[in-house]
């Protein structure tokens, strides 16, 4: 399959030990200054993408609030179409463009439920969402930049499939630990360091006690 030409940025606030949430799913790792920076970035991209678990755990809005600017399209990966209609994203989908990406595994009942909502549904993949196919479909919608805001499972799938160009992590001054706490990159991981994507440190920005690290893929 041909590569899409979408510019993909992986983004997260991580603890010094690489966690994006605690074992009880507390993920408030950002600071006010960092939120302003993130929201400025949000206003510049065409879309923000998250996985189903992040929606369930954080119930985010994914809008631009800490600065002025346009809201990007919100994209949720939800193979079986099970996200609750009580979530903030669904409740605001009549005002902010929202795409739910499902796979062919979705039941007729769930598909019917989604079809009643003011959202766009994209079917991509057999059992789980096929990211390469999704990128192809999104590029036909004039989406040129996507900010991937996690969680760890989604990050791994983008990294494993080599579908990212840039990485922006905010190193937050915390140590979380715990095998049940979600890491920035979940999944199986690479067996050898040589298999890891090669990253080039493009910039470092200090925001008081936080560090924003911006890498590009070599
Ligand atoms: N600190 C931060 O910046 C930050 C940012 C975001 C999230 N978080 C935290 O991260 C945690 C959630 O991370 P997570 O790893 O559990 O889940 P996740 O990455 O948010 O969501 C994973 C789920 O998305 C669905 N999905 C569908 N297609 C997929 C594909 N191609 N690749 C990957 N996922 C796909 C799958 O569910 P189905 O099979 O049902 O479709 C999968 O289980 C939460 O605790 C949240 O608070 C922290």
């Amino acid at each position: 399959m041909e590569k899409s030409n979408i510019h993909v940025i992986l983004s997260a606030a991580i603890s010094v030990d690489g966690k994006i949430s605690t074992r009880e799913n507390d993920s408030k790792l950002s600071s006010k200054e960092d939120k302003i920076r993130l929201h400025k970035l949000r206003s510049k991209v065409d879309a923000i993408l998250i996985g189903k678990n992040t929606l369930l755990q954080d119930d985010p809005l994914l809008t631009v609030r800490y600065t002025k600017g346009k809201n990007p399209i919100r994209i949720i990966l939800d193979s079986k179409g099970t996200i609750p209609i009580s979530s903030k994203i669904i409740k605001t989908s009549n005002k902010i463009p929202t795409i739910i990406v499902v796979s062919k595994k979705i039941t007729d009942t769930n598909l019917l439920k989604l079809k009643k909502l003011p959202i766009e549904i994209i079917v991509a993949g057999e059992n789980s969402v096929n990211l390469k196919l999704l990128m192809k479909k999104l590029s036909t919608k004039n989406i040129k930049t996507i900010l991937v805001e996690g969680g760890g499972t989604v990050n791994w799938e983008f990294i494993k499939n080599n579908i990212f160009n840039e990485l922006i992590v905010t190193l937050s001054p915390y140590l979380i630990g715990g095998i049940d706490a979600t890491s920035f990159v979940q999944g199986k991981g690479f067996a050898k360091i040589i298999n890891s994507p090669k990253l080039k440190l493009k910039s470092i920005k200090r925001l008081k006690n936080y560090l924003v690290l911006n890498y590009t893929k070599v």
Side-chain angles (χ1 to χ4, degrees):
M1 196 184 294
E2 254 178 72
K3 269 194 160 186
S4 83
N5 48 11
I6 299 179
H7 187 85
V8 176
I9 307 167
L10 304 184
S11 161
I14 69 169
S15 62
V16 173
D17 56 326
K19 302 290 187 187
I20 56 171
S21 62
T22 69
R23 64 186 155 86
E24 291 191 354
N25 287 305
D26 182 359
S27 62
K28 290 179 182 55
L29 281 157
S30 201
S31 63
K32 187 168 178 224
E33 290 78 12
D34 189 51
K35 279 179 189 150
I36 294 168
R37 175 203 60 82
L38 175 67
H39 285 221
K40 278 182 186 158
L41 177 60
R42 282 182 176 178
S43 73
K44 288 184 195 131
V45 298
D46 297 315
I48 302 184
L49 181 149
I50 61 162
K52 183 188 79 178
N53 294 351
T54 296
L55 182 141
L56 293 177
Q57 298 299 341
D58 299 352
D59 195 16
L61 264 174
L62 305 180
T63 53
V64 176
R65 303 185 301 282
Y66 288 82
T67 184
K68 281 194 180 129
K70 64 152 185 60
N71 289 318
I73 299 169
R74 303 170 303 181
I75 304 171
I76 319 297
L77 305 185
D78 180 19
S79 310
K80 301 174 205 80
T82 57
I83 58 166
I85 53 169
S86 56
S87 62
K88 286 182 188 159
I89 285 184
I90 297 299
K91 277 184 171 170
T92 52
S93 57
N94 56 340
K95 294 190 197 91
I96 305 156
T98 307
I99 300 174
I100 308 294
V101 190
V102 301
S103 71
K104 289 183 184 161
K105 202 82 180 170
I106 189 169
T107 60
D108 290 345
T109 316
N110 285 351
L111 190 58
L112 201 67
K113 183 191 75 181
L114 290 184
K115 279 183 175 168
K116 287 180 185 152
L117 301 170
I119 56 159
E120 184 177 345
I121 303 163
I122 293 182
V123 184
E126 299 295 324
N127 296 312
S128 186
V129 173
N130 179 326
L131 292 181
K132 286 185 181 161
L133 179 60
L134 173 64
M135 291 300 125
K136 292 279 280 181
K137 291 191 177 205
L138 293 175
S139 57
T140 65
K141 295 181 183 295
N142 212 21
I143 290 177
K144 294 188 173 66
T145 47
I146 298 184
L147 189 63
V148 176
E149 290 199 30
T153 308
V154 163
N155 291 340
W156 165 247
E157 290 298 323
F158 273 89
I159 293 166
K160 186 183 75 177
N161 288 294
N162 195 20
I163 317 177
F164 76 102
N165 308 87
E166 222 180 306
L167 199 129
I168 303 175
V169 286
T170 299
L171 200 62
S172 306
Y174 299 104
L175 291 164
I176 291 173
I179 50 168
D180 295 327
T182 310
S183 296
F184 173 50
V185 184
Q186 291 280 116
K188 198 162 184 235
F190 295 114
K192 303 277 182 201
I193 291 169
I194 195 154
N195 300 135
S196 155
K198 308 292 172 290
L199 304 175
K200 186 175 190 302
L201 187 58
K202 201 167 98 179
S203 71
I204 306 174
K205 189 175 183 179
R206 184 173 179 161
L207 295 173
K208 292 185 179 163
N209 207 17
Y210 294 69
L211 270 187
V212 184
L213 306 172
N214 189 349
Y215 292 90
T216 49
K217 200 176 64 190
V218 181

